[in-house]
Amino acid sequence: MATDACVSRKAGAMALIAVAGVSLTSIPAAANGATARQPAAGVQAPTDPGTARLPSGLSALSWMVADADTGNVLAAKSPHRKLAPASTLKTLFAVTVLPKFSAGAVRRVSSADLAGVGAGSSVVGVRQGRRYTVGDLWRGVFLRSGNDAVHVLAAMNGGWRTTAEEMQETARKLGARDTTVKSPDGYDAPGQVSSAHDLTVFARAGLANEDFARYCATTRATFPGAGGATQIENTNRLLAGSHGMSRYPGIIGVKNGYTSKAGNTLIAAARRNGRTLLVTVLNPQSQAYNGVYKEAAALLDWGFRTAGTAQPVGTLHAVRATEDGAGPMRPVAAEVTGAEARGGSPWRTTLVLGAGGAGVAALGLGPLLARWRQARGRSGRRGGAA
């Protein structure tokens, strides 16, 4: 079945988390459930003397620049403006569903699995009657933004409505209050909205998961096709370096999207000099070719010049830990060695996620990861544009 090009499943994934530098233990639980919230409208940027000016020509309706490790918001425009997210909402879908199924589990696709894929959807080419591993399907989601793959995974998860409800609950636990989920694949649906803030939160949570980090950073892979394995390329042009865009230095994902209602949307993560930044850009108005990628790249450049030298304008939401009987989480550590360590990036050699359960509980992800552990134990028994 399909395998990621040049990336071993486990070592590559854990190295990517180390590259991202996202540590759940660095995310504090809010006192009494309180959260720090940026103003709903307008541009917020540092005013410290000597701080670099924001890039010119930013036309997006909403955007945010944040430090993935600390959660500090470096600058933002209307970060809580509720807008159609397009396929960037697949980050929340992955945070919710990805931990539940082993990548090696196999699903024989039925007609019911593919029912309801929206007209004009981006698809990877899933076919009724064929067998796919869960890993195949996730590569279809992350690389080709395949709504057909999302439908199959949602069917495995109990159905479309159940998955939307679970995504809504995950958003709530992450403190993402601007998001309303109607269609798990991000396809335009009445009432479906998110925000630059919430999408940044979802990406930050996702990068703390080894599988999410690996999938979202995969540039090219093989996918089962009618005539055998076929090559697929990531539609994120900052990652793939395609369609007139150069690969952004230090890029590690995350997800792009487009619908007629949402316009172009993008969450981009990159790491330089020991710092990982997240930039979310929603619906640029300039109509420039590759506008969403150019604006995101400019904001990443600005963020790397500014990070650590200016006061943040806010923080991402932190949520109070939840209690549902989940036991303490064991630490997950990664060490970057060998060829990966010689790649030229200043990678963090060790990353501990949620030591003692504190970090995971602070994100409200304890219940999700507890279910992940249970699902791992059951994996041998489970059948399986936006």
Side-chain angles (χ1 to χ4, degrees):
M1 305 300 282
T3 56
D4 290 344
C6 304
V7 182
S8 68
R9 181 182 182 278
K10 201 75 172 179
M14 296 307 292
L16 285 167
I17 297 178
V19 173
V22 179
S23 173
L24 296 184
T25 56
S26 70
I27 305 173
N32 300 318
T35 59
R37 189 173 176 87
Q38 287 76 51
V43 174
Q44 300 95 54
T47 58
D48 308 65
T51 300
R53 291 186 178 182
L54 287 170
S56 61
L58 296 175
S59 67
L61 295 180
S62 176
W63 52 262
M64 173 176 278
V65 185
D67 187 308
D69 198 37
T70 65
N72 287 336
V73 176
L74 306 183
K77 175 185 176 182
S78 303
H80 293 282
R81 182 171 177 176
K82 296 180 179 181
L83 297 165
S87 282
T88 53
L89 193 65
K90 289 181 172 77
T91 54
L92 176 59
F93 174 73
V95 168
T96 304
V97 178
L98 195 155
K100 295 186 177 185
F101 303 97
S102 168
V106 176
R107 177 75 168 187
R108 184 182 178 91
V109 175
S110 69
S111 59
D113 290 348
L114 296 174
V117 176
S121 284
S122 54
V123 295
V124 68
V126 175
R127 295 290 181 262
Q128 178 183 339
R130 289 186 61 93
R131 294 178 181 271
Y132 300 87
T133 67
V134 166
D136 292 331
L137 295 170
W138 281 116
R139 282 181 282 273
V141 170
F142 277 92
L143 275 70
R144 298 298 300 171
S145 209
N147 290 359
D148 48 356
V150 173
H151 273 258
V152 176
L153 289 163
M156 294 175 66
N157 189 54
W160 201 243
R161 179 175 295 180
T162 295
T163 300
E165 291 172 351
E166 289 186 2
M167 289 170 65
Q168 192 69 64
E169 179 65 10
T170 300
R172 184 193 67 81
K173 288 179 178 178
L174 289 170
R177 296 181 289 172
D178 305 323
T179 298
T180 300
V181 180
K182 299 293 184 181
S183 183
D185 55 8
Y187 192 80
D188 287 339
Q192 177 154 279
V193 292
S194 191
S195 68
H197 168 272
D198 286 11
L199 293 168
T200 306
V201 167
F202 303 151
R204 187 184 183 213
L207 286 173
N209 176 292
E210 60 181 89
D211 292 322
F212 185 110
R214 174 169 51 88
Y215 288 129
C216 83
T218 300
T219 304
R220 295 171 186 85
T222 56
F223 189 83
T230 184
Q231 283 286 321
I232 57 175
E233 183 177 80
N234 203 307
T235 57
N236 180 348
R237 298 176 185 181
L238 285 185
L239 182 67
S242 63
H243 297 80
M245 291 298 300
S246 299
R247 181 181 170 94
Y248 187 83
I251 190 75
I252 52 176
V254 175
K255 191 71 190 75
N256 58 311
Y258 173 81
T259 67
S260 57
K261 182 178 180 180
N264 287 290
T265 61
L266 176 67
I267 310 168
R271 184 163 179 83
R272 292 187 196 170
N273 301 320
R275 189 184 300 276
T276 301
L277 297 185
L278 283 163
V279 165
T280 300
V281 177
L282 299 180
N283 203 347
Q285 301 295 291
S286 69
Q287 305 301 314
Y289 183 65
N290 284 329
V292 72
Y293 299 103
K294 292 176 180 177
E295 293 189 24
L299 285 167
L300 282 169
D301 287 345
W302 175 87
F304 284 118
R305 289 196 302 270
T306 304
T309 64
Q311 288 296 315
V313 299
T315 64
L316 299 175
H317 281 186
V319 296
R320 185 165 48 188
T322 60
E323 298 290 341
D324 75 337
M329 295 298 299
R330 299 180 63 184
V332 179
E335 184 173 348
V336 180
T337 58
E340 293 166 339
R342 295 192 296 271
S345 297
W347 293 359
R348 177 177 297 184
T349 56
T350 303
L351 176 68
V352 178
L353 303 181
V360 173
L363 260 180
L365 287 178
L368 297 178
L369 294 182
R371 289 200 296 271
W372 173 78
R373 292 200 302 271
Q374 296 167 1
R376 286 283 185 180
R378 295 194 301 267
S379 63
R381 302 192 298 271
R382 300 190 80 149

